[in-house]
Amino acid sequence: MHDHAGTQAGSGGCGHHHGPEEALARAEAVCRARDLQFTRLRRDVLEVVASQARPLGAYDIAERLSATGKRVAAVSVYRALDFLTENGLVHRIASRNAFVSCGHAHSDGAGLVFLICRSCGTIDETTSPEVEDGLGRTLAKLGFKPASRILEVEGECGACLERAAAED
Amino acid sequence: MHDHAGTQAGSGGCGHHHGPEEALARAEAVCRARDLQFTRLRRDVLEVVASQARPLGAYDIAERLSATGKRVAAVSVYRALDFLTENGLVHRIASRNAFVSCGHAHSDGAGLVFLICRSCGTIDETTSPEVEDGLGRTLAKLGFKPASRILEVEGECGACLERAAAED
DNA sequence: CTCACGATGTTACAGTGTATCAGCGCGCAA
DNA sequence: TTGCGCGCTGATACACTGTAACATCGTGAG
């Protein structure tokens, strides 16, 4: 439904996508530290997700994994994604029903800001103490005790803005 | 799948839910001003959504409307919801795949913060210049040009916190 | 009247996510 | 070694969310 802009997307220089090696290494470390099983399926799912700077749907992931021979059902992918999200290794993008691998190494998944580029489709992940402070004050004023939150911004990333400017 | 905590929820005093009359009045004004049709179906959908402080799924809405006699298909509800969201009369809660009526009268739907209570399920809607400023600065630093955003916070609302404290 | 156009009705279907049960691998205790 | 428990995976079925396509209806303009 939404596939263009090349198959690897990251190669264009949009945002800063970290690639699978780093993600896999961090996953191994996390699982070892928490005494969790980093099984083959979980590894494969993470590898596919981390190979893209664009978010992938669960069914996309299942299809890509199945393409390499052995069929993988979507339900298995969902279970692997549950595991990976619970451990902060991938994040769910609520506005797209899709998943991206975690770029930074922040301990928990709190306080993230996702930047989704309308042009190239890449997702950049950042943190913002300014936003955190402001939100904390606003919530405190209202007497609301936060437990989790999502903040997703859609727009044009710097690389795409530059490219558009250069084309004039 | 997810229905409990009473049918009206708003009666408990959680948050400040405005009720259908105000929402309908605003909708009429908006549609008159923009020369849009505030049809029966759109009115009915908005009334159902506004009668709840909790978010309703499109199929929930269809069911409630159908319960009053005439059957309403989900697809019709979706079309009405599209119209209402485009005109800022209801908002979509991405983390729940559900809809709430707009409480405030801000012209456009930008810059909103949704507060979702885990205990009573009500949704409160607010704005935060502090968050806006912080986010604007953070995005500017990264060279990202925002077009739209969603910010949804899940936690415990003030009323539920007080109720919990009183029960000790 | 007729035509254009937007709103609605209806059916079918695509996409997203979960429930359930069965089988498998592996460590561990008897 | 055997048997058991437990977590992971496979597989089917299903529920929930959303859209496409086309027919119909009502209303206002010409």
Side-chain angles (χ1 to χ4, degrees):
Chain A
M1 185 207 285
H2 38 54
D3 236 343
H4 42 73
T7 53
Q8 278 290 91
S11 55
C14 245
H16 45 72
H17 173 220
H18 291 259
E21 301 80 12
E22 187 179 330
L24 290 174
R26 259 193 326 109
E28 275 175 24
V30 165
C31 289
R32 200 159 32 235
R34 301 182 192 172
D35 201 34
L36 299 170
Q37 299 184 40
F38 192 47
T39 64
R40 180 65 197 267
L41 179 64
R42 292 169 180 175
R43 205 199 80 95
D44 289 349
V45 168
L46 178 57
E47 185 171 21
V48 168
V49 173
S51 71
Q52 300 278 320
R54 302 153 54 68
L56 288 179
Y59 281 71
D60 288 336
I61 299 169
E63 221 171 285
R64 283 166 195 257
L65 288 177
S66 298
T68 71
K70 176 163 166 41
R71 164 187 141 90
V72 176
V75 61
S76 299
V77 173
Y78 274 109
R79 284 191 288 233
L81 287 171
D82 284 345
F83 172 87
L84 294 170
T85 52
E86 276 168 17
N87 290 285
L89 298 167
V90 312
H91 299 297
R92 178 187 167 75
I93 305 300
S95 60
R96 303 244 171 158
N97 294 329
F99 301 83
V100 290
S101 91
C102 175
H104 301 64
H106 27 245
S107 44
D108 55 351
L112 292 180
V113 182
F114 294 103
L115 311 180
I116 310 167
C117 179
R118 278 181 173 171
S119 297
C120 65
T122 62
I123 294 215
D124 200 353
E125 179 189 332
T126 186
T127 56
S128 171
E130 297 177 282
V131 170
E132 236 47 48
D133 288 354
L135 184 58
R137 278 195 296 273
T138 297
L139 296 179
K141 244 178 288 183
L142 295 170
F144 190 95
K145 184 178 156 199
S148 69
R149 41 141 274 220
I150 63 174
L151 174 46
E152 300 171 10
V153 186
E154 196 174 315
E156 301 275 332
C157 73
C160 285
L161 286 174
E162 284 178 22
R163 182 164 359 102
E167 278 170 7
D168 286 344
Chain B
M1 186 211 279
H2 38 52
D3 235 342
H4 42 71
T7 53
Q8 278 292 86
S11 56
C14 245
H16 44 73
H17 173 221
H18 292 256
E21 302 80 11
E22 187 179 330
L24 291 175
R26 257 192 328 107
E28 275 175 25
V30 165
C31 289
R32 199 158 34 233
R34 301 183 192 172
D35 199 34
L36 299 170
Q37 299 184 39
F38 192 46
T39 64
R40 179 64 198 268
L41 178 64
R42 292 169 180 175
R43 205 200 80 93
D44 289 350
V45 168
L46 178 58
E47 185 171 22
V48 168
V49 172
S51 73
Q52 301 278 319
R54 302 152 53 69
L56 288 179
Y59 281 73
D60 288 338
I61 298 169
E63 222 171 286
R64 283 166 195 256
L65 288 178
S66 299
T68 72
K70 175 163 167 44
R71 162 189 143 88
V72 177
V75 62
S76 298
V77 173
Y78 274 110
R79 283 192 288 231
L81 287 171
D82 285 345
F83 173 87
L84 295 170
T85 53
E86 276 167 17
N87 290 285
L89 297 167
V90 312
H91 300 296
R92 178 187 167 75
I93 305 300
S95 62
R96 303 242 172 159
N97 293 330
F99 301 83
V100 291
S101 90
C102 176
H104 301 62
H106 26 246
S107 44
D108 54 351
L112 292 179
V113 182
F114 295 102
L115 312 180
I116 309 166
C117 179
R118 277 182 175 170
S119 297
C120 64
T122 62
I123 294 213
D124 200 353
E125 178 189 332
T126 186
T127 55
S128 170
E130 297 177 282
V131 169
E132 238 46 47
D133 288 355
L135 184 57
R137 275 195 297 273
T138 297
L139 295 180
K141 242 178 292 184
L142 295 171
F144 189 95
K145 184 178 156 201
S148 69
R149 41 138 277 219
I150 62 173
L151 175 46
E152 299 171 10
V153 186
E154 195 172 316
E156 301 276 332
C157 73
C160 285
L161 287 173
E162 283 177 22
R163 182 164 0 102
E167 280 171 2
D168 287 343

